[in-house]
Short mmCIF file of all heavy atoms in Angstrom, two decimals:
data_model
loop_
_atom_site.label_atom_id
_atom_site.label_comp_id
_atom_site.label_asym_id
_atom_site.label_seq_id
_atom_site.Cartn_x
_atom_site.Cartn_y
_atom_site.Cartn_z
N ASN S 15 6.62 9.56 -13.26
CA ASN S 15 6.59 9.12 -14.79
C ASN S 15 7.68 9.82 -15.53
O ASN S 15 8.24 9.35 -16.44
CB ASN S 15 5.22 9.51 -15.24
CG ASN S 15 4.17 8.62 -14.89
OD1 ASN S 15 4.38 7.47 -14.51
ND2 ASN S 15 2.94 9.10 -14.88
N TYR S 16 7.95 11.15 -15.11
CA TYR S 16 9.02 11.88 -15.76
C TYR S 16 10.39 11.27 -15.55
O TYR S 16 11.21 11.10 -16.47
CB TYR S 16 8.98 13.33 -15.28
CG TYR S 16 10.12 14.11 -15.83
CD1 TYR S 16 10.20 14.57 -17.19
CD2 TYR S 16 11.19 14.49 -15.05
CE1 TYR S 16 11.24 15.28 -17.64
CE2 TYR S 16 12.19 15.30 -15.47
CZ TYR S 16 12.29 15.66 -16.80
OH TYR S 16 13.36 16.39 -17.27
N ILE S 17 10.64 10.92 -14.24
CA ILE S 17 11.90 10.28 -13.91
C ILE S 17 12.09 8.93 -14.57
O ILE S 17 13.19 8.65 -15.16
CB ILE S 17 12.08 10.23 -12.37
CG1 ILE S 17 12.19 11.58 -11.71
CG2 ILE S 17 13.21 9.31 -11.95
CD1 ILE S 17 12.10 11.60 -10.24
N VAL S 18 11.13 8.12 -14.62
CA VAL S 18 11.26 6.79 -15.22
C VAL S 18 11.48 7.02 -16.72
O VAL S 18 12.20 6.32 -17.38
CB VAL S 18 10.00 5.93 -14.94
CG1 VAL S 18 10.02 4.72 -15.76
CG2 VAL S 18 9.96 5.57 -13.39
N GLY S 19 10.74 7.95 -17.28
CA GLY S 19 10.85 8.24 -18.70
C GLY S 19 12.24 8.72 -19.07
O GLY S 19 12.75 8.38 -20.10
N MET S 20 12.84 9.53 -18.22
CA MET S 20 14.19 10.04 -18.52
C MET S 20 15.27 8.94 -18.33
O MET S 20 16.35 9.09 -18.96
CB MET S 20 14.47 11.22 -17.59
CG MET S 20 13.78 12.45 -17.86
SD MET S 20 14.22 13.10 -19.48
CE MET S 20 15.88 13.60 -19.17
N GLY S 21 15.01 7.91 -17.59
CA GLY S 21 15.98 6.95 -17.29
C GLY S 21 16.45 6.18 -18.48
O GLY S 21 17.66 6.02 -18.65
N PHE S 22 15.60 5.78 -19.47
CA PHE S 22 16.02 5.03 -20.55
C PHE S 22 15.50 5.58 -21.87
O PHE S 22 15.76 4.93 -22.99
CB PHE S 22 15.53 3.59 -20.42
CG PHE S 22 16.49 2.76 -19.48
CD1 PHE S 22 16.09 2.61 -18.15
CD2 PHE S 22 17.67 2.30 -19.96
CE1 PHE S 22 16.97 1.93 -17.34
CE2 PHE S 22 18.53 1.65 -19.13
CZ PHE S 22 18.15 1.45 -17.85
N THR S 23 14.84 6.72 -21.93
CA THR S 23 14.43 7.14 -23.25
C THR S 23 15.28 8.27 -23.84
O THR S 23 15.00 8.75 -24.82
CB THR S 23 12.94 7.71 -23.18
OG1 THR S 23 12.92 8.77 -22.19
CG2 THR S 23 11.97 6.70 -22.83
N SER S 24 16.39 8.54 -23.09
CA SER S 24 17.34 9.48 -23.60
C SER S 24 18.17 8.93 -24.74
O SER S 24 18.02 7.74 -25.04
CB SER S 24 18.22 9.99 -22.51
OG SER S 24 18.90 8.94 -21.88
N ALA S 25 18.98 9.77 -25.35
CA ALA S 25 19.77 9.25 -26.45
C ALA S 25 20.74 8.11 -26.14
O ALA S 25 21.07 7.34 -27.02
CB ALA S 25 20.52 10.41 -27.04
N ASP S 26 21.21 8.05 -24.87
CA ASP S 26 22.13 6.99 -24.54
C ASP S 26 21.47 5.81 -23.84
O ASP S 26 22.18 4.94 -23.28
CB ASP S 26 23.26 7.60 -23.61
CG ASP S 26 22.69 8.16 -22.30
OD1 ASP S 26 21.49 8.48 -22.21
OD2 ASP S 26 23.46 8.49 -21.43
N GLY S 27 20.12 5.70 -23.90
CA GLY S 27 19.44 4.58 -23.38
C GLY S 27 19.82 3.23 -24.00
O GLY S 27 19.96 2.24 -23.34
N ILE S 28 19.86 3.28 -25.41
CA ILE S 28 20.28 2.05 -26.08
C ILE S 28 21.67 1.59 -25.69
O ILE S 28 21.90 0.45 -25.61
CB ILE S 28 20.11 2.29 -27.61
CG1 ILE S 28 18.61 2.58 -27.96
CG2 ILE S 28 20.72 1.11 -28.40
CD1 ILE S 28 18.41 3.05 -29.42
N ARG S 29 22.59 2.59 -25.52
CA ARG S 29 23.95 2.19 -25.12
C ARG S 29 23.93 1.52 -23.77
O ARG S 29 24.62 0.56 -23.57
CB ARG S 29 24.70 3.51 -25.02
CG ARG S 29 26.22 3.20 -24.72
CD ARG S 29 26.99 4.53 -24.46
NE ARG S 29 26.58 5.10 -23.23
CZ ARG S 29 26.52 6.37 -23.05
NH1 ARG S 29 26.92 7.20 -23.99
NH2 ARG S 29 26.17 6.86 -21.85
N ALA S 30 23.09 2.00 -22.79
CA ALA S 30 23.01 1.40 -21.49
C ALA S 30 22.47 -0.06 -21.56
O ALA S 30 22.95 -0.89 -20.83
CB ALA S 30 22.13 2.18 -20.58
N VAL S 31 21.49 -0.30 -22.39
CA VAL S 31 20.95 -1.62 -22.52
C VAL S 31 21.95 -2.55 -23.18
O VAL S 31 22.14 -3.69 -22.66
CB VAL S 31 19.67 -1.60 -23.43
CG1 VAL S 31 19.21 -2.92 -23.88
CG2 VAL S 31 18.53 -0.82 -22.70
N ILE S 32 22.72 -2.14 -24.11
CA ILE S 32 23.75 -2.90 -24.75
C ILE S 32 24.91 -3.28 -23.73
O ILE S 32 25.28 -4.39 -23.70
CB ILE S 32 24.36 -2.22 -26.02
CG1 ILE S 32 23.26 -2.19 -27.19
CG2 ILE S 32 25.63 -2.95 -26.55
CD1 ILE S 32 23.65 -1.33 -28.30
N ILE S 33 25.32 -2.30 -23.01
CA ILE S 33 26.33 -2.53 -22.02
C ILE S 33 25.76 -3.50 -21.00
O ILE S 33 26.52 -4.39 -20.58
CB ILE S 33 26.77 -1.21 -21.34
CG1 ILE S 33 27.54 -0.32 -22.37
CG2 ILE S 33 27.54 -1.44 -20.03
CD1 ILE S 33 27.86 1.05 -21.82
N ALA S 34 24.60 -3.34 -20.51
CA ALA S 34 24.03 -4.31 -19.52
C ALA S 34 23.93 -5.71 -20.09
O ALA S 34 24.22 -6.64 -19.37
CB ALA S 34 22.69 -3.79 -19.15
N LEU S 35 23.56 -5.86 -21.34
CA LEU S 35 23.46 -7.22 -21.85
C LEU S 35 24.87 -7.80 -22.04
O LEU S 35 25.02 -9.04 -21.81
CB LEU S 35 22.71 -7.21 -23.18
CG LEU S 35 21.25 -6.97 -23.16
CD1 LEU S 35 20.63 -6.83 -24.51
CD2 LEU S 35 20.56 -8.10 -22.33
N ILE S 36 25.86 -7.09 -22.42
CA ILE S 36 27.20 -7.60 -22.55
C ILE S 36 27.72 -7.97 -21.22
O ILE S 36 28.32 -9.05 -21.03
CB ILE S 36 28.13 -6.52 -23.22
CG1 ILE S 36 27.76 -6.41 -24.70
CG2 ILE S 36 29.58 -6.92 -23.08
CD1 ILE S 36 28.47 -5.27 -25.42
N VAL S 37 27.46 -7.17 -20.12
CA VAL S 37 27.97 -7.51 -18.76
C VAL S 37 27.27 -8.75 -18.32
O VAL S 37 27.83 -9.58 -17.61
CB VAL S 37 27.74 -6.28 -17.85
CG1 VAL S 37 28.03 -6.70 -16.46
CG2 VAL S 37 28.73 -5.24 -18.17
N SER S 38 25.93 -8.90 -18.62
CA SER S 38 25.28 -10.07 -18.17
C SER S 38 25.80 -11.39 -18.75
O SER S 38 25.75 -12.37 -18.12
CB SER S 38 23.75 -9.96 -18.56
OG SER S 38 23.58 -10.14 -19.91
N GLN S 39 26.43 -11.34 -19.82
CA GLN S 39 27.05 -12.49 -20.47
C GLN S 39 28.42 -12.81 -19.82
O GLN S 39 28.83 -13.96 -20.04
CB GLN S 39 27.20 -12.38 -21.97
CG GLN S 39 25.90 -12.09 -22.73
CD GLN S 39 24.80 -13.12 -22.43
OE1 GLN S 39 25.12 -14.33 -22.48
NE2 GLN S 39 23.66 -12.74 -21.95
N MET S 40 28.98 -11.83 -19.09
CA MET S 40 30.25 -12.08 -18.45
C MET S 40 30.14 -12.53 -16.97
O MET S 40 31.08 -12.85 -16.37
CB MET S 40 31.11 -10.78 -18.47
CG MET S 40 31.57 -10.44 -19.88
SD MET S 40 32.71 -9.03 -19.90
CE MET S 40 31.64 -7.66 -19.71
N MET S 41 28.94 -12.58 -16.52
CA MET S 41 28.68 -12.93 -15.07
C MET S 41 29.03 -14.32 -14.82
O MET S 41 28.85 -15.26 -15.60
CB MET S 41 27.27 -12.66 -14.70
CG MET S 41 26.89 -11.24 -14.49
SD MET S 41 25.19 -11.04 -13.95
CE MET S 41 25.19 -11.93 -12.47
N GLN S 42 29.60 -14.59 -13.60
CA GLN S 42 29.85 -15.94 -13.12
C GLN S 42 28.63 -16.51 -12.51
O GLN S 42 27.61 -15.90 -12.32
CB GLN S 42 31.01 -15.84 -12.06
CG GLN S 42 32.26 -15.30 -12.59
CD GLN S 42 32.89 -16.13 -13.71
OE1 GLN S 42 32.90 -17.34 -13.51
NE2 GLN S 42 33.49 -15.45 -14.62
N LYS S 43 28.58 -17.81 -12.19
CA LYS S 43 27.34 -18.47 -11.79
C LYS S 43 26.90 -17.94 -10.49
O LYS S 43 25.73 -17.77 -10.27
CB LYS S 43 27.78 -20.07 -11.65
CG LYS S 43 26.49 -20.88 -11.31
CD LYS S 43 26.80 -22.29 -11.41
CE LYS S 43 25.60 -23.14 -11.22
NZ LYS S 43 25.76 -24.53 -11.32
N TYR S 44 27.76 -17.72 -9.42
CA TYR S 44 27.20 -17.32 -8.10
C TYR S 44 27.61 -15.84 -7.83
O TYR S 44 27.95 -15.44 -6.76
CB TYR S 44 27.85 -18.23 -7.04
CG TYR S 44 27.36 -19.57 -7.22
CD1 TYR S 44 28.21 -20.61 -7.56
CD2 TYR S 44 26.01 -19.92 -6.88
CE1 TYR S 44 27.75 -21.89 -7.77
CE2 TYR S 44 25.58 -21.22 -6.99
CZ TYR S 44 26.48 -22.24 -7.47
OH TYR S 44 26.04 -23.46 -7.59
N ALA S 45 27.55 -15.00 -8.86
CA ALA S 45 27.93 -13.59 -8.81
C ALA S 45 26.83 -12.80 -8.16
O ALA S 45 25.66 -13.14 -8.22
CB ALA S 45 28.35 -13.06 -10.12
#
């Protein structure tokens, strides 16, 4: 529970989500 909580509840968790969503929009069809 501690490890999962530290993964995305830190101060840079929102930044990681935004980066992931931007990268998901750049993916090719069979990537």
Side-chain angles (χ1 to χ4, degrees):
N15 287 336
Y16 174 73
I17 289 172
V18 171
M20 287 296 293
F22 280 99
T23 58
S24 59
D26 58 347
I28 295 172
R29 182 186 72 212
V31 171
I32 291 171
I33 290 171
L35 288 174
I36 290 171
V37 168
S38 72
Q39 300 307 309
M40 292 189 279
M41 282 182 62
Q42 302 294 322
K43 187 172 184 177
Y44 297 107

